[in-house]
Amino acid sequence: LSTFILSLILSVLNIGLLKIALDTARGYDIRFQDLFYGFKHHPDRAILAQGVILLLTYLCILPGSGLCIYGYRQKSVTLLLAGTAVLCVGLVIYLILSLMFSQTMFFLTDYIDIEAIQALKESVRIMRGKKGKLFYLQLSFIGIYLLGGIGLLWVIPYMQVTMANFYRKITGEI
């Protein structure tokens, strides 16, 4: 529950980080107050969108996790294996959903008047046929992320600006 609530609050801060990444990608000047952009522009939209995404995530992962825990407590290898299989299926579904909804927060950042549900729908619409490209783009970060260490101070902004440019490309901006 605490992770759920913290994630909802951080989603508003994430809007500010995405604003900075988009402004950087567009060559605009960035300001420190941009970090709090999400708090000034309908934070309820980010909280609602993140809440929907989190609920879908939990729905994907909880059945398999619950079955694994139950199988472990019952000392049943069959239930444990079944739980692992259900968990693997849930993780694949989660991966697909996360790719589908990946652009939601960018839409909320770019369009002040868009509602949370509409941003989710727009993300699904714009990601049709592009989930594979995003998946490979995210895979390309694994090496630099693993080598990151203190370098993550540079790697994470690089990844965010790259994702902002991906958003700009699929929306036809560039």
Side-chain angles (χ1 to χ4, degrees), residues 19-50:
K19 168 95 169 101
I20 290 170
L22 278 169
D23 286 351
T24 301
R26 291 173 174 150
Y28 300 164
D29 290 333
I30 57 172
R31 302 170 307 212
F32 179 75
Q33 64 245 27
D34 289 339
L35 188 60
F36 305 103
Y37 180 82
F39 291 99
K40 298 175 188 171
H41 295 92
H42 306 289
D44 56 315
R45 300 175 315 137
I47 291 170
L48 179 60
Q50 186 66 27

Side-chain angles (χ1 to χ4, degrees), residues 53 57 91-104 123 127 131 134 138:
I53 292 168
T57 299
L91 288 173
V92 169
I93 294 170
Y94 162 72
L95 176 64
I96 293 167
L97 288 174
S98 70
L99 292 170
M100 288 171 49
F101 295 126
S102 63
Q103 305 307 302
T104 301
S123 180
M127 286 303 294
K131 290 182 280 300
L134 179 59
Q138 290 175 339

Side-chain angles (χ1 to χ4, degrees), residues 17 21 24 137-164:
L17 293 172
T24 301
L137 178 63
Q138 290 175 339
L139 280 180
S140 73
F141 295 139
I142 289 176
I144 59 173
Y145 191 76
L146 291 175
L147 294 174
I150 192 74
L152 289 177
L153 293 173
W154 290 272
V155 170
I156 291 174
Y158 167 76
M159 290 168 50
Q160 288 178 325
V161 173
T162 302
M163 296 306 296

Side-chain angles (χ1 to χ4, degrees), residues 72-86:
Y72 178 76
R73 287 189 177 170
Q74 296 297 318
K75 295 180 179 25
S76 170
V77 175
T78 306
L79 284 175
L80 198 54
L81 289 174
T84 303
V86 171

Side-chain angles (χ1 to χ4, degrees), residues 3-15 18 43-58 94 98 101-102 104-106 108 116-117 119-120:
T3 304
F4 183 80
I5 293 169
L6 184 61
S7 181
L8 294 178
I9 294 168
L10 289 176
S11 68
V12 180
L13 189 59
N14 187 39
I15 295 288
L18 293 178
D44 56 315
R45 300 175 315 137
I47 291 170
L48 179 60
Q50 186 66 27
V52 169
I53 292 168
L54 283 173
L55 285 175
L56 290 171
T57 299
Y58 290 142
Y94 162 72
S98 70
F101 295 126
S102 63
T104 301
M105 294 302 180
F106 281 110
L108 292 175
I117 301 302
L120 288 162

